[in-house]
Amino acid sequence: AAPRPAHGCGSGALLGRFGVLLQALLALCAFSTLMLKRFKEPKAERRPWRIWFYDTSKQAIGALFIHFANVFLSDLTEEDPCSLYLINFILDATLGMLLIWLGVKVVSWIVQHKKYTYLVFGEYGDPPQAAAWIGQCILYLLIMVFEKTVISLVLLIPGWTKLQQILLGYIPSPQLELVLVMFVVPFIVNAIMFWVVDSLIMRKYKQKDALDISGSTETPRARRTEESQVLLSPDMDFDQSESDQDIPGLWGTSQKMKQPSYQVVI
């Protein structure tokens, strides 16, 4: 067994029996927030279970990749791996969240510009196609790889070692530190991150009329103009038909009024 340091969890504690149990409990509690978010959506815009699964499974794949990448990077050190995992997690929740938002925006702009409609996040076709979901999962996973690569490069900056030594040094119990690092802090932060990222990659119902899954686009302004023309056209035809019928009548009346009247005097 690896020697346990004076403070903090020992090497391999993240993948121990207690650590794995905490990670399973964390996954269950964190993803329950996504289910809660679905029930908080308006009934008219609430996603079907299949669409909800397609949306949330992308986050599940990305979160699992980030989690195991952090565990792997934390075990590379001979010192306290819990503090290094916490540093990775905090960077993922701050700088990493900004990188994820930027990646989603850039990828969404590219696929819309190229008219790859099945790769637009949240659009799966009608009926929903598994191929669209697989393509979007690959794109989201690439975004997470980009985010984790940048975070790993940031960790190479000198100075993180001193922060690692003082971050959790005041906690005397290794198990308490493991609970704090692997459950309490990740649950709070993941709940917020899942909620925000789900809002980024779900279908935007305010703009769903502007995007046709077949590839054609129609702006809401053009749609409103067309609808207004349709609504106005019967009235215009009706008024025109009435005016056409009234013109001969008015013309005849005016002709009668213009005809001279004669009186016969006997």
Side-chain angles (χ1 to χ4, degrees):
R4 177 173 294 179
H7 66 275
C9 57
S11 178
L14 300 180
L15 295 178
R17 180 178 301 178
F18 186 63
V20 173
L21 179 62
L22 288 176
Q23 295 173 46
L25 184 61
L26 170 65
L28 179 63
C29 294
F31 283 104
S32 64
T33 59
L34 293 175
M35 187 174 296
L36 175 63
K37 183 178 182 296
R38 179 186 179 272
F39 287 111
K40 295 292 289 183
E41 296 172 356
K43 291 185 178 180
E45 300 179 358
R46 186 172 297 170
R47 292 167 288 178
W49 283 109
R50 186 176 182 180
I51 301 298
W52 176 85
F53 171 76
Y54 281 170
D55 288 341
T56 56
S57 59
K58 292 195 289 286
Q59 284 206 73
I61 295 174
L64 288 176
F65 168 77
I66 293 296
H67 172 73
F68 286 111
N70 289 340
V71 171
F72 173 76
L73 293 174
S74 301
D75 277 338
L76 293 180
T77 179
E78 296 180 356
E79 299 181 0
D80 184 10
C82 289
S83 59
L84 184 57
Y85 179 88
L86 185 60
I87 291 175
N88 276 276
F89 189 82
I90 292 175
L91 288 176
D92 289 329
T94 52
L95 178 59
M97 191 66 197
L98 178 61
L99 295 174
I100 293 173
W101 175 83
L102 181 62
V104 170
K105 291 297 182 180
V106 171
V107 170
S108 299
W109 180 83
I110 293 175
V111 297
Q112 289 182 1
H113 181 70
K114 297 294 184 179
K115 296 183 179 180
Y116 299 146
T117 52
Y118 282 106
L119 294 180
V120 176
F121 288 121
E123 298 288 345
Y124 307 102
D126 189 15
Q129 303 292 325
W133 168 70
I134 294 174
Q136 294 177 30
C137 285
I138 295 174
L139 286 180
Y140 187 73
L141 186 58
L142 291 176
I143 294 174
M144 303 306 289
V145 171
F146 164 74
E147 182 267 344
K148 196 63 219 174
T149 303
V150 175
I151 296 299
S152 300
L153 294 176
V154 171
L155 284 174
L156 296 178
I157 301 175
W160 294 107
T161 305
K162 294 181 179 180
L163 178 61
Q164 180 183 348
Q165 293 174 355
I166 65 175
L167 190 60
L168 296 174
Y170 58 89
I171 299 179
S173 174
Q175 289 188 344
L176 180 60
E177 181 178 344
L178 193 61
V179 171
L180 182 64
V181 170
M182 297 297 295
F183 181 75
V184 177
V185 176
F187 170 70
I188 298 174
V189 178
N190 274 330
I192 299 174
M193 289 181 62
F194 287 164
W195 197 291
V196 173
V197 174
D198 186 62
S199 300
L200 287 176
I201 64 178
M202 69 180 291
R203 184 178 186 181
K204 302 301 184 293
Y205 286 89
K206 293 182 180 180
Q207 300 176 357
K208 66 180 181 180
D209 292 335
L211 179 64
D212 186 9
I213 199 63
S214 61
S216 61
T217 57
E218 183 179 5
T219 60
R221 182 177 180 182
R223 185 180 294 272
R224 289 196 300 267
T225 304
E226 182 181 356
E227 290 177 353
S228 63
Q229 291 177 356
V230 172
L231 292 174
L232 291 175
S233 58
D235 297 336
M236 294 173 63
D237 295 338
F238 179 77
D239 296 340
Q240 186 177 0
S241 61
E242 286 185 348
S243 62
D244 292 341
Q245 293 177 1
D246 292 341
I247 288 175
L250 293 174
W251 178 259
T253 304
S254 62
Q255 290 294 331
K256 291 180 182 179
M257 294 177 63
K258 290 182 180 180
Q259 290 178 357
S261 61
Y262 298 94
Q263 293 181 355
V264 180
V265 179
I266 299 177

